[in-house]
Amino acid sequence: MSAEQKLKDLGLSLPDVPSPVATYVSFKRVGDMVYLSGQGPKRADGSYPTGKVGADVSIEEAYEHAKQTGLGLLAAMQKAAGSLDKVEVIKLLGMVNAAPDFSDHPKVINGCSDLFVAVLGDNGRHARSAVGMGSLPNRMTVEIEVIIKVLP
C-alpha cells in the first residue's frame, strides 16, 4: 500500500509546505540526502500552539503537536522526493519547549515518530534525539527537523 493511501486510511492529509520566514529554504538536497528545515505545529490559520510542555501544555497535547509537525514534514519530504514512497527517514531531531523540570521529551516527539512509521512503515524508522529547550520560535511547543534519503 502506498504512503499516500496509508495517509488516507488514517484520515490524514498533508498541508501545504510552509514558506520560509527568513533567509533559508524548506529543504536542501545533496545527492540522495535531503535536509529538512525545522518545522513546528502550524495551524491552518498560520498560528502555532504555544506554551511550556509540562507546565502549560500536557504531554498528550504536545504529542498531537508533534504529530501535526510530522504532517508538515511529510509534505516537505513529498515535495523533495516526488513521492513519499521514495523516502527513508534517517535522523530526526525533536525539540520541546519544556518547563525546567520536564523530562518526558521522548513521549512528546513520539507523536512525529509514530506518524512516520504509520505512514512509511520500516522506511519511517529513524535515529532520533529528543531534547528540551528553554524557548522556541513563536513560543511554539515543538520544533522538529529531519534528514531523509531519497530512494531510487
Side-chain angles (χ1 to χ4, degrees):
M1 178 184 311
S2 72
E4 286 83 2
Q5 186 60 50
K6 288 179 187 175
L7 277 168
K8 286 180 187 175
D9 290 352
L10 293 167
L12 301 171
S13 61
L14 298 180
D16 292 332
V17 177
S19 299
V21 296
T23 310
Y24 64 92
V25 293
S26 298
F27 59 86
K28 184 76 170 187
R29 186 168 177 167
V30 180
D32 61 355
M33 302 299 290
V34 180
Y35 301 80
L36 285 84
S37 293
Q39 290 191 33
K42 192 172 189 178
R43 296 180 178 125
D45 67 3
S47 68
Y48 293 89
T50 61
K52 293 280 185 190
V53 179
D56 313 312
V57 179
S58 72
I59 292 171
E60 296 78 16
E61 290 170 311
Y63 175 98
E64 292 300 321
H65 299 165
K67 182 178 178 180
Q68 179 65 37
T69 301
L71 286 171
L73 289 162
L74 285 169
M77 289 178 207
Q78 185 177 52
K79 184 174 181 179
S83 168
L84 288 176
D85 295 323
K86 294 173 55 178
V87 167
E88 179 181 0
V89 181
I90 304 299
K91 176 76 163 96
L92 182 152
L93 170 60
M95 297 162 276
V96 179
N97 186 359
D101 62 344
F102 185 74
S103 62
D104 285 326
H105 310 91
K107 290 180 181 176
V108 171
I109 301 305
N110 281 345
C112 185
S113 294
D114 292 347
L115 174 69
F116 286 177
V117 172
V119 173
L120 303 172
D122 283 340
N123 284 345
R125 296 192 184 282
H126 50 271
R128 184 179 93 172
S129 298
V131 297
M133 300 289 176
S135 66
L136 288 172
N138 302 309
R139 296 187 58 240
M140 64 186 157
T141 53
V142 299
E143 181 174 357
I144 302 171
E145 65 177 48
V146 177
I147 300 169
I148 65 169
K149 180 178 180 179
V150 179
L151 303 171

